[in-house]
């Protein structure tokens, strides 16, 4: 139901809705560029949740105890759920889920760079919870106030679950840090490998962010990439201290003038390479997603046949 006629009254109403901090709903008129931007952001987010199941999913069969296995299974299942809410939110804008999946598999739509790094040890599962989900919470809590209604509402539940995920990661790491010297070294090694890629999750620096200005004006995004990256660093430093790990940045220090931490420059060339498809696990992640999609073809066919049969029966009864 795409309303394309830029009727002055409709455009004014849209602007008023944004100015008053109200939500744009699926049946409302919206500029096509707004629609395309929201579809792009939600689709990338949905793809990230689905691809994001892989690094941790690989550890389900190797979790060190039944308790850790049950926790991990539930977490990965939550991520599938997040993907589903987000694909549904995208469909309210007229996007087609099959098409979105196709775009992911063929590399025409992006997903978060972070999931192209490998989870090498079980400490990585804890660090993904603590830092990756921690960054996700920091980035996504403001999106509960995003101007597109179905996205904002989906984010409320997602954020509750993400903050639970973050705490489970931190609890796992606390347990490992109170274990052997080998376990503590494993946690530090995982922190050293994930810290910089996590800072890339917030997107390119504001000076290079193509979408931030317009997305902020439309209140799709509520803060810039750099603002949220700073907030995350400030939030994480005391957590690292409490845990007893060092963050691998020699330039990281409190700046009393700014009332915030200074920190080193992210390797933006590395980020560009990973986003362009040349990260350590890009090919593997997409191949696995494609295999799962192809393997599920019979389920989709059976569900469609069942739905057609059911509709036929209902027509006969009526
Ligand atoms: N990786 O103009 P910019 C999770 C793209 S799921 C790859 O600043 P924008 C979790 C960007 O999309 C985490 N691509 O863009 C799941 C844009 O692409 P186009 C996912 C990136 O949209 C499972 C271009 O670069 N979270 O937490 O204003 C387990 C220029 O950037 C990245 C979300 O999706 C990146 N890191 O801002 C555990 C949150 N960064 O225009 C955890 C929602 C940027 O070429 N999304 N790009 O298509 C957002 O908040 C914003 O879309 C972003 C980027 C801050 C990510």
């Amino acid at each position: 139901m795409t309303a394309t006629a830029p009727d002055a009254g409709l455009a004014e109403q849209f602007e008023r809705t944004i100015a008053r901090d109200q939500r744009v709903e699926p049946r409302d008129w919206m500029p096509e560029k707004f629609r395309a931007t929201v579809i792009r952001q939600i689709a990338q987010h949905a793809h990230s949740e689905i691809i994001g199941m892989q690094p941790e999913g690989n550890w389900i069969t190797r979790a060190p105890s039944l308790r850790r296995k049950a926790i991990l299974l539930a977490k990965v299942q939550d991520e599938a759920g997040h993907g589903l809410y987000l694909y549904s939110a995208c469909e309210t804008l007229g996007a087609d889920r099959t098409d979105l999946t196709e775009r992911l598999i063929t590399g025409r739509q992006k997903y978060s760079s972070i999931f192209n790094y490998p989870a090498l040890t079980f400490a990585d599962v804890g660090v993904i919870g603590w830092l990756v989900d921690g960054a996700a919470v920091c980035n996504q809590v403001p999106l509960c106030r995003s101007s597109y209604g179905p996205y904002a509402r989906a984010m409320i539940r997602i954020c509750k679950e993400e903050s639970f995920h973050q705490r489970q990661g931190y609890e796992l790491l606390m347990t490992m840090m109170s274990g052997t010297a080998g376990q503590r070294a494993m946690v530090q090694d995982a922190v050293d490998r994930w810290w910089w890629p996590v800072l890339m999750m917030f997107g390119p620096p504001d000076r290079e962010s193509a979408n931030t200005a317009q997305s902020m004006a439309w209140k799709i995004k509520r803060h810039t990439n750099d603002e949220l990256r700073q907030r995350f660093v400030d939030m994480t430093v005391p957590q690292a201290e409490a845990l007893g790990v060092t963050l691998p940045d020699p330039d990281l220090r409190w700046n009393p003038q700014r009332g915030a931490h200074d920190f080193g420059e992210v390797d933006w060339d590395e980020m560009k390479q990973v986003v362009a498809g040349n990260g350590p696990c890009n090919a593997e992640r997409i191949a696995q997603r494609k295999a799962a999609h192809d393997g599920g073809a019979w389920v989709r066919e059976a569900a469609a046949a069942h739905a057609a049969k059911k509709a036929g029966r209902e027509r006969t009864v009526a």
Side-chain angles (χ1 to χ4, degrees):
M1 215 179 300
T2 317
T4 42
D7 176 294
L10 291 173
E12 260 170 42
Q13 196 177 338
F14 170 83
E15 293 300 337
R16 254 200 316 275
T17 303
I18 300 290
R20 288 180 184 160
D21 251 340
Q22 291 168 340
R23 302 280 167 270
V24 177
E25 296 298 339
R27 286 168 192 273
D28 294 346
W29 182 88
M30 61 191 86
E32 279 312 303
K33 190 150 179 279
F34 177 91
R35 184 186 299 277
T37 303
V38 180
I39 290 178
R40 177 187 64 79
Q41 179 163 328
I42 305 180
Q44 288 179 0
H45 193 165
H47 299 327
S48 304
E49 297 282 357
I50 297 300
I51 296 284
M53 294 164 74
Q54 292 186 31
E56 293 169 284
N58 288 336
W59 281 97
I60 292 172
T61 54
R62 293 173 290 162
S65 68
L66 192 58
R67 176 170 176 266
R68 293 291 172 200
K69 192 194 282 273
I71 292 171
L72 191 52
L73 203 56
K75 179 182 191 282
V76 172
Q77 197 170 317
D78 282 352
E79 281 146 13
H82 298 173
L84 298 187
Y85 316 145
L86 291 166
Y87 283 127
S88 299
C90 234
E91 285 182 322
T92 65
L93 288 159
D96 174 69
R97 170 122 166 244
T98 309
D99 176 55
L100 296 178
T101 302
E102 195 58 33
R103 283 168 189 266
L104 167 68
I105 289 172
T106 53
R108 282 176 293 147
Q109 264 177 356
K110 297 188 168 93
Y111 60 93
S112 181
S113 51
I114 192 71
F115 302 114
N116 293 307
Y117 292 85
L120 300 179
T121 71
F122 201 70
D124 290 42
V125 171
V127 169
I128 291 173
W130 173 39
L131 296 180
V132 175
D133 289 276
V137 171
C138 190
N139 167 262
Q140 292 169 27
V141 165
L143 294 174
C144 297
R145 293 185 298 113
S146 181
S147 54
Y148 186 59
Y151 189 34
R153 289 189 287 275
M155 292 317 302
I156 294 171
R157 175 161 174 184
I158 291 176
C159 285
K160 283 190 180 143
E161 293 180 350
E162 296 287 18
S163 72
F164 195 67
H165 294 171
Q166 196 227 7
R167 276 177 265 176
Q168 73 77 35
Y170 199 72
E171 190 266 345
L172 192 167
L173 295 177
M174 288 287 245
T175 307
M176 287 188 81
M177 290 302 284
S178 60
T180 64
Q183 285 172 308
R184 283 193 290 279
M186 211 185 264
V187 173
Q188 183 62 59
D189 170 62
V191 171
D192 290 346
R193 284 181 289 106
W194 286 93
W195 175 249
W196 291 104
V198 163
L199 294 187
M200 296 172 196
M201 285 176 72
F202 294 91
D206 292 351
R207 61 178 184 273
E208 287 173 25
S209 167
N211 301 295
T212 293
Q214 182 61 80
S215 289
M216 296 274 288
W218 276 332
K219 298 182 183 169
I220 298 167
K221 279 168 80 164
R222 309 299 302 223
H223 301 281
T224 73
N225 301 353
D226 287 338
E227 281 166 10
L228 291 174
R229 197 171 1 254
Q230 178 73 58
R231 188 180 286 185
F232 173 74
V233 170
D234 292 336
M235 183 182 102
T236 307
V237 168
Q239 294 171 2
E241 278 163 14
L243 198 56
V245 294
T246 312
L247 297 173
D249 178 356
D251 298 323
L252 181 64
R253 65 183 60 86
W254 179 250
N255 180 333
Q257 270 93 44
R258 289 202 308 121
H261 292 85
D262 290 338
F263 55 99
E265 188 73 5
V266 173
D267 183 346
W268 299 117
D269 288 337
E270 177 181 323
M271 182 182 169
K272 278 183 197 141
Q273 281 300 318
V274 176
V275 174
N278 305 318
C281 300
N282 295 61
E284 182 187 329
R285 300 291 184 238
I286 290 297
Q288 197 170 336
R289 180 69 195 91
K290 187 173 178 327
H293 187 64
D294 293 346
W298 70 271
V299 180
R300 293 190 295 279
E301 279 161 24
H306 176 71
K309 216 188 245 180
K310 200 164 160 232
R313 240 183 268 130
E314 278 162 12
R315 264 199 306 276
T316 313
V317 172

